[in-house]
């Protein structure tokens, strides 16, 4: 039935005997709205749709919508993967290596610049996601999905760098000698302070994202910040990927570079 429904521009809420379906137009509008405003939930969308259609809101409808929206996103992803395959864009790190023509399109006999690429790194807390189990008795929802694109660095890769900070810590006398250079940053910037001070409220499962972009604004790598503030493992993971891919003659800008350089 879903094949027939899809031919008519709808996706059913169940694979075999769907009793409810959402139009592709509704799902597409929700996707475009949700991208600039991630807090716009499926529940809010269904409340609005129920109001527009003059029917009473039911919580089950929001669940149906979430299931259908997941199916819609996986169909879109499959289509995009097939297009990428056909265009030869499915090689590892294709996006990071090819997204910016200004950085990556090199001319013959082009003079070598002091740095082959300028990259900026920073974290942001706008995409915080509340952990439902921290604020209620709900059973945790396990999400076994991993990143679908290779510019997302998964949490296991990031966690490989979590012990690097401890390893790189200087003995106390060295730390005291070098304290002047970034003591002002440590005072003024929470992210430049000690790792223990970067704890986030326990209610957030994800506390934001950390990303690296070239100087023309193209995102090269991105990772989730999970149950923590802006720990050093995030910039370390991104820096490692950037150096592996572009070599060590890149310049990286980071707002707490003074504190990060000692890591
Ligand atoms: Zn660029």
């Amino acid at each position: 039935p879903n094949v027939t429904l899809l031919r008519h521009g709808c996706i059913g809420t169940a694979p075999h005997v769907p009793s409810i379906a959402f139009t592709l137009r509704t799902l597409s509008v929700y996707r475009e709205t949700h991208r600039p405003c991630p807090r716009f939930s499926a529940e809010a969308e269904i409340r609005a749709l129920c109001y527009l259609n003059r029917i009473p809101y039911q919580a089950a409808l929001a669940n149906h919508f979430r299931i259908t929206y997941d199916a819609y996103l996986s169909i879109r992803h499959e289509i995009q993967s097939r297009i990428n395959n056909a265009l030869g864009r499915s090689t590892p790190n294709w996006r990071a290596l090819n997204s910016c023509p200004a950085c990556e399109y090199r001319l013959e006999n082009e003079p070598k610049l002091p740095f082959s690429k300028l990259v900026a790194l920073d974290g942001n807390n706008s995409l915080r996601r509340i952990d439902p189990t921290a604020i209620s008795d709900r059973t945790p929802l396990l999400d076994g999905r991993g990143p679908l694109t290779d510019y997302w660095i998964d949490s296991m890769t990031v966690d490989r760098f979590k012990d690097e900070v401890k390893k790189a810590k200087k003995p106390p006398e060295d730390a005291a000698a070098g304290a002047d250079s970034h003591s002002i940053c440590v005072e003024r910037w929470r992210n430049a302070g000690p790792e223990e001070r970067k704890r986030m409220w326990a209610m957030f499962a994800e506390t934001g994202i950390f990303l690296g972009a070239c100087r023309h604004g193209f995102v090269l790598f991105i990772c989730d910040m999970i149950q923590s503030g802006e720990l050093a493992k995030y910039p370390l993971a991104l820096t490692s990927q950037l150096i592996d891919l572009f070599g060590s003659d890149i310049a990286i800008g980071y707002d707490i570079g003074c504190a990060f350089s000692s890591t």
Side-chain angles (χ1 to χ4, degrees):
N2 265 310
V3 177
T4 315
L5 277 172
L6 210 46
R7 285 203 181 112
H8 290 84
C10 301
I11 301 181
T13 55
H16 300 300
V17 197
S19 55
I20 301 167
F22 292 94
T23 63
L24 293 176
R25 199 174 54 177
T26 299
L27 295 161
S28 171
V29 169
Y30 178 68
R31 178 173 172 266
E32 294 304 327
T33 319
H34 190 243
R35 283 184 340 160
C37 184
R39 74 182 66 179
F40 184 61
S41 64
E43 185 190 331
E45 169 75 5
I46 288 299
R47 282 183 187 276
L49 286 175
C50 285
Y51 178 75
L52 290 172
N53 290 286
R54 300 287 185 264
I55 55 170
Y57 169 77
Q58 299 164 34
L61 279 175
N63 276 337
H64 286 304
F65 183 77
R66 286 186 197 99
I67 293 165
T68 317
Y69 187 59
D70 278 350
Y72 170 72
L73 291 181
S74 61
I75 291 170
R76 284 189 64 100
H77 175 68
E78 180 61 30
I79 293 169
Q80 191 59 51
S81 305
R82 290 186 192 189
I83 293 172
N84 288 348
N85 275 336
L87 295 174
R89 295 179 176 180
S90 50
T91 49
N93 297 310
W94 190 91
R95 184 185 165 114
L97 287 168
N98 296 279
S99 54
C100 181
C103 283
E104 300 306 329
Y105 187 74
R106 308 215 188 277
L107 300 175
E108 279 178 29
N109 305 320
E110 189 179 298
K112 204 170 182 303
L113 296 170
F115 297 108
S116 67
K117 200 174 181 78
L118 301 179
V119 181
L121 300 182
D122 205 4
N124 180 297
N125 297 123
S126 301
L127 287 172
R128 287 189 295 258
R129 188 174 66 82
I130 290 175
D131 178 3
T133 58
I135 53 169
S136 68
D137 295 332
R138 281 192 234 173
T139 42
L141 292 170
L142 296 175
D143 187 352
R145 292 171 298 182
L148 293 174
T149 44
D150 60 7
Y151 69 106
W152 270 99
I153 303 176
D154 62 60
S155 56
M156 272 165 63
T157 310
V158 172
D159 279 343
R160 289 213 314 264
F161 295 89
K162 70 175 191 285
D163 297 324
E164 295 294 316
V165 186
K166 288 175 203 153
K167 277 189 223 158
K169 257 191 184 162
K170 293 177 182 172
E173 60 273 20
D174 286 351
D180 283 346
S181 62
H182 65 253
S183 58
I184 302 167
C185 299
V186 171
E187 265 173 43
R188 293 185 183 170
W189 289 79
R190 187 183 56 190
N191 291 339
E195 298 284 276
E196 307 80 59
R197 250 195 261 162
K198 298 177 188 173
R199 281 196 208 104
M200 257 286 167
W201 302 301
M203 64 188 287
F204 293 113
E206 276 140 351
T207 46
I209 50 167
F210 193 93
L211 67 80
C214 79
R215 66 178 170 137
H216 308 100
F218 288 91
V219 174
L220 303 169
F221 289 111
I222 185 167
C223 67
D224 265 328
M225 295 197 289
I226 297 170
Q227 293 176 327
S228 71
E230 201 173 302
L231 298 178
K233 65 180 179 178
Y234 304 115
L236 280 173
L238 261 73
T239 306
S240 165
Q241 293 271 7
L242 288 166
I243 291 173
D244 286 350
L245 208 56
F246 301 108
S248 53
D249 64 335
I250 54 172
I252 296 177
Y254 182 27
D255 58 6
I256 52 161
C258 51
F260 182 57
S261 60
S262 63
T263 305

